[in-house]
Amino acid sequence: MYSSTRVAICGAGPSALSQLHAFESARKSGLQIPEIVCFEKQNDLGGQWNYTWRTGFDEYSEPVHSSMYKNLWTNLPKECSEFVDYSFDKHFGQPITSFPPRTVFSDYIRGYAEQNNVRQYIQFNIVVQWISYSEDKKKFNVLVKDLRKDETRSEEFDYVIVATGHFSMPNIPYFNGIETFLGRILHSHDFRSAQDFADKHVLLIGNGFSAEDIALQLYKYGAKSVTLSYRTKPKGFKWPNEVKEVPLLVKIDKETVYFKDDSSQDVHAIIFCTGYLHYFPFLDNNLRLKSTNCLYPPGLYKSMIWLNQPRLIYLGMQMQAFSFNVGNIQAWYARDVILGKITLPSTKDKMQFDMKLWQVKEEAVQNFPDKANFLKEYILDLIDATDYPRFDIDGMIKILLECLKSRFENLITYREKTYASTLTDTTAIQHHTPWLREMDDRLENFIRK
Amino acid sequence: MYSSTRVAICGAGPSALSQLHAFESARKSGLQIPEIVCFEKQNDLGGQWNYTWRTGFDEYSEPVHSSMYKNLWTNLPKECSEFVDYSFDKHFGQPITSFPPRTVFSDYIRGYAEQNNVRQYIQFNIVVQWISYSEDKKKFNVLVKDLRKDETRSEEFDYVIVATGHFSMPNIPYFNGIETFLGRILHSHDFRSAQDFADKHVLLIGNGFSAEDIALQLYKYGAKSVTLSYRTKPKGFKWPNEVKEVPLLVKIDKETVYFKDDSSQDVHAIIFCTGYLHYFPFLDNNLRLKSTNCLYPPGLYKSMIWLNQPRLIYLGMQMQAFSFNVGNIQAWYARDVILGKITLPSTKDKMQFDMKLWQVKEEAVQNFPDKANFLKEYILDLIDATDYPRFDIDGMIKILLECLKSRFENLITYREKTYASTLTDTTAIQHHTPWLREMDDRLENFIRK
């Protein structure tokens, strides 16, 4: 049933689950598939969605993967991120709110994995430590560590698929005088509980998605003031009175922070909302993607196939929107490349030519609608090559842009809006309690029994 | 001047600095020494004493090494930890207090390194990623990463000396319900600023040295209450009114922590003072020490030479007291083994026999004086084999035990005591301000200009 080809998948988050699903669905349809081994360092699947109270290092001294906080709710309607082949309706058997909390969303991801019967391929508590490619053997040497046994072993593979995400390793720039700061310093990666900042004055460095949502969390849970320091320009939201935006931080002196406009303030805590680094400490030089958070990472044909060694495939490395479906479509494409159903261009030059076209497109992107259209083009390009089901990408883009507009109008209430699924037409229900007053994020508070 | 033998040293903390000093002093005396390459992932020497405001990961996404906090003062008299060949008098040219703060102590360590001219051997911002031993080549393969260039490379070595310490990787056990805790959770490794806990109720898990000292820090900087939860038995110190000891934590529910004696309390923060793990993620299975914090780690002949591959040497892996001199003496011993001046027992059995004797001795250790005597015996055993200068180990033990007694009598004032150097007979001066009221830890506040 399995061919002699061996494929290693690193990570068991959403992209990897899609990859397993892609292979499993081929197997179920009667095709011979390679031997698949998925290595996951955590003790369960879900990747980023595996919430943990831990920060820094886990119980096996591995870097904590998840950047999830206790009271996270999605900031985009679930209707934008629905797996095309697994609707929320199917999972919950009832309509739910458009902006579910973490607990609800991760239940859905788990359901996706279980219905696709992919757990069989995953080895948990196994971390990939080092991957190199042997030109002699034409194989990848994959060194993994069994965390429970505290033992390493090597295996050979024909293909490697890296699906370890890129929202895990904090980017923490230095600011003048930060070593004198008397309060707490953390990165959004280590943010867990907003309650912990009640009655505090908090500085957030950055004003991207992390900063915006953490600012709202802090406001909701009673911070005395929240200041967002932006590098380029303010978001211009109608913030609550307790929240404001200021220019870039230039200096810190004990409890006081100073900004580019010569204003200053005393704060109890500084939270770096300065994004994440593409981090692949387990990959040899010639295999390692070095990228910022962008739409078309360098060195990757179709944003996923490593130009210099096309048997190495990266999933989900671009900036994200519709990320589950992008991951799914990439997984389908990767599978078909490995199964030989898709033939890659015969030369590096030809691949580079294609990559160049996309890079030019990316350079032309100026705003959010541009980004969404870029992703649409990208999705259509990949879908054309596979049997992945077509879906209403325009409908999803419409929902995304509507949400961004409604968020701009009112940050506090935008999560009360409801959207209709592009898959099932079901309109989401409004949650019984507005986001600002809802302190009970448990699954059972959102799903009728 | 250098032989063709190559020695890799991992880390540039105090033990590694001793090792470099040992080789450099041999070289200066006209001996031919091997080629020495010391790899340090930080951008400076000092290891643990390299204070950083960062927690979790550093600017190169490497685990932050130092567990040092901003306002740490030594908790043992400096007269116990003086390098025999570099007195505090020599470094500062004036008598100083017996319990210097971090800034003063790390200045001394830096001076030790500079006077011994060891910086020439150290490659900074280079992290050791993987070490394996090739039986064919009779060499270690050492994979290192240049953090600034983000590039890896491999080198071959005849000897490897691991001096990366064992107070870096936090041990964080699970407690029932901890995922519901609403406040801040951290390990002492990530504790930086006591000011940050002013007016807070804080739970410390553990009552060892970390817990004791952090409790005092929190008290000094205005915590509302500090509760130490012990596993075995209370320390029995005369704590200030704001500090108390309770039995083991059994359960956490939101803000409330419950103890074994059915008492409970609401706290704002939980600090794990639960110690550190021996952590060598860069060593292949058959080379990796697995040990708890003990006096004689398993698998190490003379507590330092890896039984199964005696060309691998660990420095400073035992529980510490007089640690700089222990490191120094081990370094001398290691050097003489590598230079062929010390011949190891001819068989594994003979080494194991010796190890067994020490393990039996360790089993008999019951209290602190026993530990000190164990270390004395160990020091004398190693010193006998080398030309390391003899020193007044009994004098150092006496100071150590006196300090422990005085600490037991009064935790708040024990750092006002002064001791005389066993090397120079100089008696320390009393600092102008008692520890409890001294908020200025800068070097210049402790050293007369």
Side-chain angles (χ1 to χ4, degrees):
Chain A
M1 187 165 64
Y2 297 105
S3 71
S4 62
T5 304
R6 299 192 83 220
V7 178
I9 301 175
C10 310
S15 291
L17 296 176
S18 288
Q19 190 63 69
L20 294 172
H21 174 29
F23 279 115
E24 176 65 7
S25 72
R27 193 190 64 80
K28 271 164 66 180
S29 78
L31 287 172
Q32 194 187 45
I33 65 165
E35 184 192 348
I36 311 289
V37 185
C38 176
F39 298 112
E40 169 55 53
K41 75 174 183 179
Q42 301 185 75
N43 62 9
D44 204 353
L45 50 80
Q48 194 64 257
W49 292 91
N50 243 340
Y51 173 79
T52 173
W53 57 275
R54 292 180 185 269
T55 57
F57 301 91
D58 68 16
E59 61 272 45
Y60 297 111
S61 307
E62 286 296 317
V64 164
H65 182 75
S66 178
S67 304
M68 200 63 56
Y69 34 93
K70 201 193 284 282
N71 298 111
L72 180 137
W73 292 28
T74 67
N75 61 353
L76 289 176
K78 72 178 195 302
E79 289 76 13
C80 290
S81 21
E82 213 162 10
F83 284 111
V84 171
D85 49 358
Y86 192 64
S87 66
F88 279 88
D89 281 2
K90 184 163 180 185
H91 180 71
F92 288 109
Q94 59 180 272
I96 66 164
T97 165
S98 276
F99 296 86
R102 167 179 71 74
T103 47
V104 175
F105 209 84
S106 60
D107 193 72
Y108 166 71
I109 293 166
R110 205 168 300 273
Y112 171 74
E114 302 305 346
Q115 89 136 13
N116 296 324
N117 199 23
V118 302
R119 201 176 271 274
Q120 56 179 318
Y121 296 108
I122 310 173
Q123 297 186 10
F124 292 104
N125 296 117
I126 306 282
V127 66
V128 175
Q129 284 205 313
W130 189 248
I131 300 180
S132 56
Y133 184 76
S134 162
E135 286 294 346
D136 292 349
K137 296 185 181 170
K138 305 284 175 215
K139 300 269 187 196
F140 291 95
N141 193 279
V142 178
L143 177 76
V144 300
K145 183 175 183 181
D146 182 323
L147 295 169
R148 281 172 299 199
K149 292 185 187 159
D150 192 15
E151 275 177 20
T152 55
R153 64 172 197 267
S154 282
E155 294 190 28
E156 288 183 346
F157 288 93
D158 302 286
Y159 289 87
V160 166
I161 297 174
V162 176
T164 53
H166 58 101
F167 296 118
S168 248
M169 181 48 70
N171 170 47
I172 309 186
Y174 174 76
F175 286 89
N176 198 5
I178 193 162
E179 61 281 0
T180 70
F181 186 61
L182 298 178
R184 178 174 175 190
I185 302 168
L186 70 160
H187 185 275
S188 56
H189 175 62
D190 294 330
F191 179 78
R192 292 289 179 273
S193 167
Q195 286 97 330
D196 195 21
F197 298 87
D199 297 320
K200 297 284 190 187
H201 297 285
V202 184
L203 170 66
L204 307 186
I205 303 178
N207 70 341
F209 283 107
S210 291
E212 175 201 315
D213 201 55
I214 289 176
L216 293 178
Q217 290 273 325
L218 295 174
Y219 167 69
K220 176 172 173 176
Y221 287 94
K224 202 166 273 171
S225 81
V226 183
T227 304
L228 290 84
S229 161
Y230 57 84
R231 181 176 292 277
T232 320
K233 58 174 199 274
K235 269 281 167 76
F237 287 128
K238 291 171 194 120
W239 295 105
N241 287 337
E242 291 78 357
V243 183
K244 69 169 188 284
E245 291 186 84
V246 300
L248 191 62
L249 176 67
V250 290
K251 196 179 72 177
I252 300 162
D253 185 21
K254 290 178 181 161
E255 59 279 277
T256 313
V257 292
Y258 297 85
F259 305 102
K260 217 174 169 178
D261 62 357
D262 291 331
S263 68
S264 68
Q265 194 186 337
D266 286 3
V267 296
H268 297 103
I270 298 176
I271 306 181
F272 279 86
C273 300
T274 40
Y276 294 89
L277 298 169
H278 282 63
Y279 174 69
F280 310 103
F282 53 87
L283 285 168
D284 205 351
N285 292 322
N286 54 351
L287 304 175
R288 192 158 72 251
L289 172 64
K290 297 179 184 184
S291 178
T292 55
N293 193 17
C294 64
L295 286 167
Y296 209 83
L300 293 178
Y301 173 68
K302 297 293 177 198
S303 205
M304 54 186 291
I305 290 164
W306 188 239
L307 182 70
N308 289 321
Q309 176 42 268
R311 288 175 166 234
L312 171 65
I313 299 173
Y314 286 87
L315 298 183
M317 288 305 153
Q318 68 282 72
M319 189 186 285
Q320 314 256 312
F322 327 113
S323 47
F324 292 171
N325 283 309
V326 170
N328 238 343
I329 293 162
Q330 288 186 327
W332 248 250
Y333 192 93
R335 179 199 65 190
D336 287 354
V337 168
I338 293 171
L339 293 181
K341 291 165 99 184
I342 291 174
T343 310
L344 296 180
S346 52
T347 67
K348 236 185 185 183
D349 277 358
K350 285 183 189 161
M351 288 201 254
Q352 273 174 318
F353 181 76
D354 186 80
M355 289 157 71
K356 189 74 205 161
L357 291 180
W358 286 99
Q359 280 150 14
V360 170
K361 278 186 223 270
E362 174 164 22
E363 280 161 26
V365 166
Q366 302 204 337
N367 51 33
F368 222 93
D370 287 354
K371 280 182 195 167
N373 280 316
F374 180 99
L375 285 170
K376 175 186 167 182
E377 258 192 87
Y378 173 70
I379 287 169
L380 293 177
D381 183 45
L382 287 194
I383 261 192
D384 268 352
T386 75
D387 66 351
Y388 192 78
R390 303 301 182 267
F391 64 100
D392 183 7
I393 175 75
D394 288 318
M396 283 198 184
I397 291 180
K398 193 161 160 262
I399 293 172
L400 177 73
L401 298 179
E402 265 180 43
C403 165
L404 293 177
K405 184 162 165 280
S406 111
R407 181 154 62 179
F408 196 80
E409 285 162 7
N410 194 327
L411 270 176
I412 304 301
T413 60
Y414 82 88
R415 285 184 172 106
E416 284 155 42
K417 288 266 185 337
T418 56
Y419 298 86
S421 166
T422 62
L423 306 176
T424 63
D425 280 339
T426 305
T427 296
I429 56 161
Q430 198 157 34
H431 186 57
H432 46 67
T433 309
W435 168 80
L436 187 62
R437 287 191 283 112
E438 179 57 270
M439 306 295 176
D440 180 358
D441 287 2
R442 287 171 309 141
L443 179 71
E444 47 271 43
N445 189 34
F446 283 77
I447 308 298
R448 285 190 311 270
K449 288 289 165 191
Chain B
M1 188 165 60
Y2 297 107
S3 71
S4 63
T5 304
R6 300 192 82 220
V7 178
I9 301 176
C10 310
S15 290
L17 297 176
S18 289
Q19 190 63 69
L20 293 172
H21 174 29
F23 278 114
E24 176 64 8
S25 71
R27 193 189 65 79
K28 271 164 68 179
S29 77
L31 286 173
Q32 194 187 45
I33 66 165
E35 184 192 349
I36 310 290
V37 185
C38 177
F39 298 112
E40 169 55 53
K41 74 174 184 180
Q42 300 186 76
N43 61 9
D44 204 354
L45 49 79
Q48 193 64 256
W49 291 91
N50 243 340
Y51 173 79
T52 174
W53 56 276
R54 292 178 185 272
T55 56
F57 302 90
D58 68 16
E59 61 272 46
Y60 297 111
S61 306
E62 286 296 317
V64 165
H65 182 76
S66 178
S67 304
M68 199 63 56
Y69 34 94
K70 203 193 284 283
N71 298 112
L72 180 136
W73 292 27
T74 65
N75 62 352
L76 289 177
K78 71 178 196 303
E79 289 75 14
C80 290
S81 20
E82 214 162 7
F83 284 111
V84 172
D85 50 357
Y86 191 64
S87 67
F88 277 89
D89 281 2
K90 183 163 180 185
H91 180 70
F92 288 109
Q94 58 181 271
I96 66 164
T97 164
S98 275
F99 296 86
R102 166 179 72 72
T103 48
V104 175
F105 208 85
S106 60
D107 193 72
Y108 167 70
I109 293 166
R110 205 168 300 274
Y112 170 74
E114 302 306 345
Q115 91 136 11
N116 295 324
N117 198 23
V118 302
R119 202 177 271 273
Q120 56 179 318
Y121 295 108
I122 310 173
Q123 298 187 9
F124 293 104
N125 296 117
I126 306 281
V127 66
V128 175
Q129 284 205 314
W130 189 248
I131 300 179
S132 56
Y133 185 76
S134 161
E135 286 293 347
D136 293 349
K137 296 184 181 172
K138 305 284 176 213
K139 301 268 186 195
F140 291 95
N141 193 279
V142 178
L143 177 76
V144 300
K145 183 175 184 179
D146 182 323
L147 295 169
R148 281 172 300 199
K149 293 185 185 160
D150 192 15
E151 275 176 23
T152 55
R153 64 172 197 268
S154 282
E155 294 189 30
E156 288 183 346
F157 288 93
D158 302 286
Y159 289 88
V160 166
I161 297 174
V162 176
T164 53
H166 58 100
F167 295 119
S168 249
M169 181 48 70
N171 169 46
I172 310 186
Y174 174 76
F175 286 90
N176 198 4
I178 193 162
E179 61 281 359
T180 70
F181 186 61
L182 298 179
R184 178 174 175 190
I185 302 168
L186 70 160
H187 185 275
S188 57
H189 175 61
D190 294 331
F191 179 78
R192 291 289 178 273
S193 169
Q195 287 95 332
D196 196 23
F197 297 88
D199 297 321
K200 297 284 190 185
H201 297 284
V202 185
L203 170 66
L204 307 187
I205 304 178
N207 70 341
F209 284 107
S210 291
E212 174 201 316
D213 201 56
I214 289 176
L216 293 179
Q217 290 273 327
L218 295 174
Y219 167 68
K220 175 172 174 176
Y221 288 93
K224 202 165 273 171
S225 80
V226 183
T227 303
L228 290 84
S229 161
Y230 58 83
R231 182 175 291 278
T232 320
K233 58 174 198 275
K235 269 281 166 76
F237 287 128
K238 290 168 195 124
W239 295 105
N241 287 337
E242 290 79 356
V243 183
K244 68 169 190 284
E245 292 186 83
V246 300
L248 192 63
L249 175 68
V250 289
K251 195 179 72 175
I252 300 161
D253 185 20
K254 290 180 182 159
E255 58 280 278
T256 314
V257 292
Y258 297 85
F259 305 102
K260 219 174 167 180
D261 61 356
D262 290 333
S263 67
S264 68
Q265 194 186 338
D266 285 4
V267 296
H268 297 103
I270 298 175
I271 306 181
F272 280 85
C273 300
T274 40
Y276 294 89
L277 298 169
H278 281 62
Y279 173 69
F280 310 103
F282 53 86
L283 286 168
D284 205 351
N285 291 323
N286 54 352
L287 304 176
R288 193 159 69 252
L289 172 65
K290 298 180 184 182
S291 178
T292 55
N293 193 18
C294 65
L295 286 168
Y296 210 83
L300 293 178
Y301 173 68
K302 297 293 178 200
S303 204
M304 55 185 291
I305 289 164
W306 189 239
L307 181 71
N308 288 321
Q309 176 42 267
R311 289 175 165 233
L312 172 65
I313 299 173
Y314 286 87
L315 297 183
M317 287 307 154
Q318 67 282 71
M319 189 187 286
Q320 314 258 313
F322 327 112
S323 46
F324 291 172
N325 283 309
V326 169
N328 240 342
I329 293 162
Q330 288 186 327
W332 248 249
Y333 192 93
R335 180 200 63 190
D336 288 353
V337 167
I338 292 172
L339 294 182
K341 291 164 99 182
I342 292 174
T343 309
L344 297 179
S346 54
T347 67
K348 236 184 186 183
D349 276 359
K350 286 184 189 160
M351 290 202 255
Q352 273 174 317
F353 181 76
D354 186 79
M355 289 156 70
K356 190 73 206 162
L357 292 181
W358 287 98
Q359 279 149 15
V360 169
K361 280 186 221 272
E362 174 163 21
E363 279 160 28
V365 166
Q366 301 204 337
N367 51 32
F368 222 93
D370 288 354
K371 280 182 195 167
N373 280 317
F374 180 98
L375 285 170
K376 175 185 167 182
E377 259 193 87
Y378 173 69
I379 287 170
L380 292 177
D381 183 45
L382 288 194
I383 262 194
D384 269 351
T386 75
D387 66 351
Y388 192 78
R390 303 300 183 265
F391 63 102
D392 183 6
I393 175 73
D394 288 319
M396 284 198 182
I397 292 179
K398 192 161 160 262
I399 294 172
L400 177 74
L401 298 180
E402 265 180 44
C403 165
L404 293 176
K405 184 163 165 281
S406 112
R407 181 155 64 179
F408 196 78
E409 285 162 9
N410 194 328
L411 268 177
I412 303 302
T413 60
Y414 81 90
R415 286 185 171 107
E416 285 155 42
K417 287 265 186 338
T418 56
Y419 298 86
S421 166
T422 61
L423 306 176
T424 63
D425 279 339
T426 305
T427 297
I429 57 163
Q430 198 157 34
H431 185 56
H432 48 65
T433 310
W435 168 81
L436 187 62
R437 288 191 283 113
E438 179 57 271
M439 304 298 175
D440 181 359
D441 287 1
R442 288 171 310 142
L443 179 70
E444 48 270 43
N445 189 32
F446 283 77
I447 309 298
R448 283 190 313 270
K449 288 290 167 193

